[in-house]
């Protein structure tokens, strides 16, 4: 189970200020913003459920307890988490950047939905573990495979979820102001876009940059693997 609360308090609860059905559904989602449900974050998924266009069992991080809470709000029977959306993790994992291999490409920063990665173009990046939701969205874009998911050795709490929602909303607002984008892959690409990458409009220049980046990464790996070099 991914999301736990202490004592006899219900696993998922919503605040008194949650008025619409979408608000109440969003309040019980874990706010990992992982997009495994097929929507670009927890809020869009909650809105789709409220409108009747999304099923209630598409949130692997929420697990069976999350489905039960959503079903109660929707007045429906619970069902197993849809396996096509992924497997419910048995514990919280967070991203870890292998800093010796990081090439400073900023792609992980662009992908992070809650601004949990710090760094700059051509400089080493680091994950702020306490802010990481375990969404895994930063893993695939890394061109040198230097990001792994490791056990967080702590539980994901309602306080964590509320804070993640706020950071995600702040990031979404920033995207709208800077790039006139709202959500989705285009917004993730534009978020915190490195000046160097954004200045390259010629496809051959982009290809050369990628080739140079990969060459440097291979050289770093070889030097690490062979101490004599």
């Amino acid at each position: 189970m991914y999301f736990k609360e202490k004592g006899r308090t219900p696993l998922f609860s919503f605040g008194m200020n949650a008025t619409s059905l979408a608000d109440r559904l969003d309040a019980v989602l874990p706010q990992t913003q992982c997009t495994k449900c097929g929507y670009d974050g927890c809020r869009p998924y909650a809105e789709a459920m409220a409108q009747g266009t999304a099923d209630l069992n598409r949130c692997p991080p929420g697990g069976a307890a999350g489905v039960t809470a959503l079903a109660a709000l929707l007045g429906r029977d619970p069902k197993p988490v849809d396996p096509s959306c992924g497997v419910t993790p048995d514990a919280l994992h967070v991203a870890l950047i292998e800093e010796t291999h990081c090439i400073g490409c900023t792609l992980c920063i662009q992908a992070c939905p809650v601004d949990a990665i710090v760094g700059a173009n051509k400089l080493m990046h680091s994950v702020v573990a306490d802010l990481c939701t375990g969404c895994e969205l930063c893993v695939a874009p890394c061109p040198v495979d230097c990001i792994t998911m490791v056990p967080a050795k702590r539980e994901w709490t309602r306080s964590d979820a509320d804070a993640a929602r706020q950071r995600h909303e702040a990031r979404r607002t920033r995207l709208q102001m800077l790039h006139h984008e709202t959500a989705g892959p285009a917004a993730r690409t534009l978020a915190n876009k490195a000046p160097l990458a954004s200045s390259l409009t010629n496809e051959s220049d982009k290809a050369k940059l990628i080739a140079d980046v990969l060459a440097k990464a291979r050289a770093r790996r070889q030097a690490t693997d062979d101490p004599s070099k």
Side-chain angles (χ1 to χ4, degrees):
M1 189 178 300
Y2 193 92
F3 192 172
K4 299 178 181 178
E5 293 285 359
K6 302 295 186 181
R8 298 175 62 86
T9 304
L11 184 65
F12 292 85
S13 60
F14 50 86
M16 295 299 293
N17 62 339
T19 54
S20 72
L21 178 57
D23 287 333
R24 296 195 295 272
L25 293 168
D26 183 53
V28 302
L29 290 173
Q31 302 303 317
T32 57
Q33 315 301 339
C34 64
T35 73
K36 292 178 180 178
C37 60
Y39 294 85
D40 197 65
C42 296
R43 180 68 191 193
Y45 177 42
E47 292 174 349
M49 283 190 288
Q51 294 165 5
T53 58
D55 211 340
L56 53 78
N57 64 335
R58 300 186 60 81
C59 179
V67 171
T68 299
L70 294 171
L73 288 172
L74 292 167
R76 296 173 55 189
D77 293 330
K79 58 176 67 176
V81 175
D82 187 340
S84 70
C85 298
V87 178
T88 299
D90 57 3
L92 174 64
H93 284 63
V94 295
L96 176 68
I97 296 176
E98 189 177 352
E99 295 176 345
T100 56
H101 291 152
C102 176
I103 57 175
C105 69
T106 78
L107 292 178
C108 60
I109 294 176
Q110 296 169 34
C112 181
V114 293
D115 290 337
I117 303 177
V118 295
N121 189 48
K122 294 188 176 181
L123 297 176
M124 181 182 69
H125 304 340
S126 295
V127 177
V128 182
D130 288 344
L131 304 183
C132 180
T133 69
C135 70
E136 303 181 12
L137 290 174
C138 61
V139 176
C142 178
V144 292
D145 295 325
C146 72
I147 304 177
T148 55
M149 303 302 296
V150 300
K153 298 180 180 180
R154 68 180 183 88
E155 296 173 356
W156 184 255
T157 68
R158 173 50 57 191
S159 176
D160 290 322
D162 291 341
R165 181 192 292 106
Q166 292 175 4
R167 292 195 303 276
H168 182 63
E169 285 301 311
R171 177 179 180 275
R172 189 175 66 87
T173 299
R174 184 179 72 244
L175 286 172
Q176 290 176 323
M177 293 176 60
L178 296 179
H179 306 292
H180 307 292
E181 295 282 349
T182 54
R188 283 197 292 273
T189 299
L190 289 168
N192 299 314
K193 197 174 180 83
L196 175 61
S198 63
S199 68
L200 296 177
T201 56
N202 185 285
E203 290 300 321
S204 63
D205 290 341
K206 291 180 181 179
K208 182 178 184 303
L209 174 62
I210 293 172
D212 290 344
V213 163
L214 294 176
K216 290 178 181 178
R218 285 193 293 269
R220 287 189 184 185
R221 285 190 181 275
Q222 290 173 357
T224 301
D225 295 339
D226 186 356
S228 64
K229 291 185 178 181

